[in-house]
Amino acid sequence: KQKNKYLTMKLATSMRVTEARGYTESRNTIAYDYVVFFEKLGHLLVLIPNNTKNLSLYLKNFDIGGIVLTGGNNVNPKLYNGKNELEGVYCERDKIEAQLLYYGLQKDLPVLSICRGFHFCNVYFGGQISHQVPNHVNVSHKLISNNLLLNEKITNTYHNQGIKKHDLASDLEAIAFSEDGIVEAFHHRNHRILGLQWHPERQNKDFDIELI
């Protein structure tokens, strides 16, 4: 009965902003892997455009049961250190994800934040992001954790930014680290929020499925 409670949950899902070559318009996109992974878990993704002015209608009409903040793009540095020093920053995405996260908190919904979503969630609660973290782009890492489900598991990394222990927001608690001390997973101390630095939908391992 407990499992069935969460089957076919509709998840409001953020999307990446991309600029296709040869075209002048920005596009909302999502990797196929997300759809395959969450449908395997029994959930349906409701894709939220970054430029919508009608977010409340999406959330109301689709009976949203959870939030997924996906990867891709950079969080605007102005939100955490006052500097604009990165490419691939889209303010409209930061704004829509802030609204999604706020909605999840108000409704006490489960929130899963992945890679960029992991960074954004930390910034939302007052944390920082470290730039140019060495040996974390296209490198697999072993997790160090007190959680037996996570400890010594191998995960992927696709970002040269990361969250060090001193970067982590006080409302968040680290539950897994890489061997060089970068936070790889956290949860919120009071809300149902799980953050993962890696992409579970790309590696699609049994422990990812059990964890989520």
Side-chain angles (χ1 to χ4, degrees), residues 181-198:
I182 302 299
V183 178
E184 292 286 328
F186 61 63
H187 66 75
H188 195 283
R189 297 181 187 276
N190 301 307
H191 296 280
R192 294 190 291 167
I193 297 176
L194 174 66
L196 305 177
Q197 174 65 89
W198 67 91

Side-chain angles (χ1 to χ4, degrees), residues 151-171:
N151 192 43
E152 296 192 346
K153 297 299 192 299
I154 304 299
T155 62
N156 56 44
T157 303
Y158 297 94
H159 215 294
N160 64 358
Q161 298 175 39
I163 298 172
K164 298 180 180 180
K165 191 172 183 179
H166 65 265
D167 293 325
L168 193 64
S170 59
D171 288 338

Side-chain angles (χ1 to χ4, degrees), residues 4 9 17-19 30 40 69 75 78 89 92 121 137 140 151-153 156 162-163 171 180-181 203 208 210 212:
N4 290 339
M9 182 186 292
V17 178
T18 60
E19 296 177 346
I30 190 166
K40 183 177 181 179
L69 303 182
V75 179
K78 287 185 176 181
V89 168
E92 63 270 31
C121 194
V137 179
S140 295
N151 192 43
E152 296 192 346
K153 297 299 192 299
N156 56 44
I163 298 172
D171 288 338
D180 57 355
Q203 59 185 26
D208 289 316
E210 185 174 352
I212 295 171

Side-chain angles (χ1 to χ4, degrees), residues 121-140:
C121 194
N122 184 51
V123 169
Y124 183 91
F125 290 105
Q128 298 284 316
I129 299 174
S130 291
H131 295 188
Q132 302 302 322
V133 177
N135 302 317
H136 275 259
V137 179
N138 297 325
V139 177
S140 295

Side-chain angles (χ1 to χ4, degrees), residues 73-145:
N73 304 133
N74 288 311
V75 179
N76 191 344
K78 287 185 176 181
L79 297 178
Y80 56 92
N81 67 13
K83 301 177 183 179
N84 189 3
E85 55 197 13
L86 292 176
E87 297 180 351
V89 168
Y90 296 92
C91 294
E92 63 270 31
R93 181 169 183 186
D94 295 323
K95 290 178 181 178
I96 207 73
E97 290 194 348
Q99 292 176 60
L100 284 171
L101 192 46
Y102 178 79
Y103 181 83
L105 291 169
Q106 294 300 303
K107 298 293 184 180
D108 191 30
L109 300 179
V111 177
L112 176 64
S113 54
I114 297 171
C115 197
R116 175 232 143 80
F118 174 82
H119 295 164
F120 182 81
C121 194
N122 184 51
V123 169
Y124 183 91
F125 290 105
Q128 298 284 316
I129 299 174
S130 291
H131 295 188
Q132 302 302 322
V133 177
N135 302 317
H136 275 259
V137 179
N138 297 325
V139 177
S140 295
H141 296 282
K142 180 187 290 186
L143 298 180
I144 307 299
S145 176

Side-chain angles (χ1 to χ4, degrees), residues 27-100:
R27 298 181 176 194
N28 296 294
T29 65
I30 190 166
Y32 279 20
D33 292 340
Y34 287 109
V35 178
V36 174
F37 182 73
F38 283 101
E39 287 188 355
K40 183 177 181 179
L41 291 175
H43 304 320
L44 300 176
L45 299 186
V46 176
L47 304 181
I48 306 298
N50 292 291
N51 59 322
T52 182
K53 304 299 182 184
N54 297 294
L55 178 60
S56 60
L57 295 179
Y58 279 92
L59 300 174
K60 177 181 178 180
N61 291 324
F62 286 97
D63 188 26
I64 298 301
I67 307 292
V68 178
L69 303 182
T70 61
N73 304 133
N74 288 311
V75 179
N76 191 344
K78 287 185 176 181
L79 297 178
Y80 56 92
N81 67 13
K83 301 177 183 179
N84 189 3
E85 55 197 13
L86 292 176
E87 297 180 351
V89 168
Y90 296 92
C91 294
E92 63 270 31
R93 181 169 183 186
D94 295 323
K95 290 178 181 178
I96 207 73
E97 290 194 348
Q99 292 176 60
L100 284 171

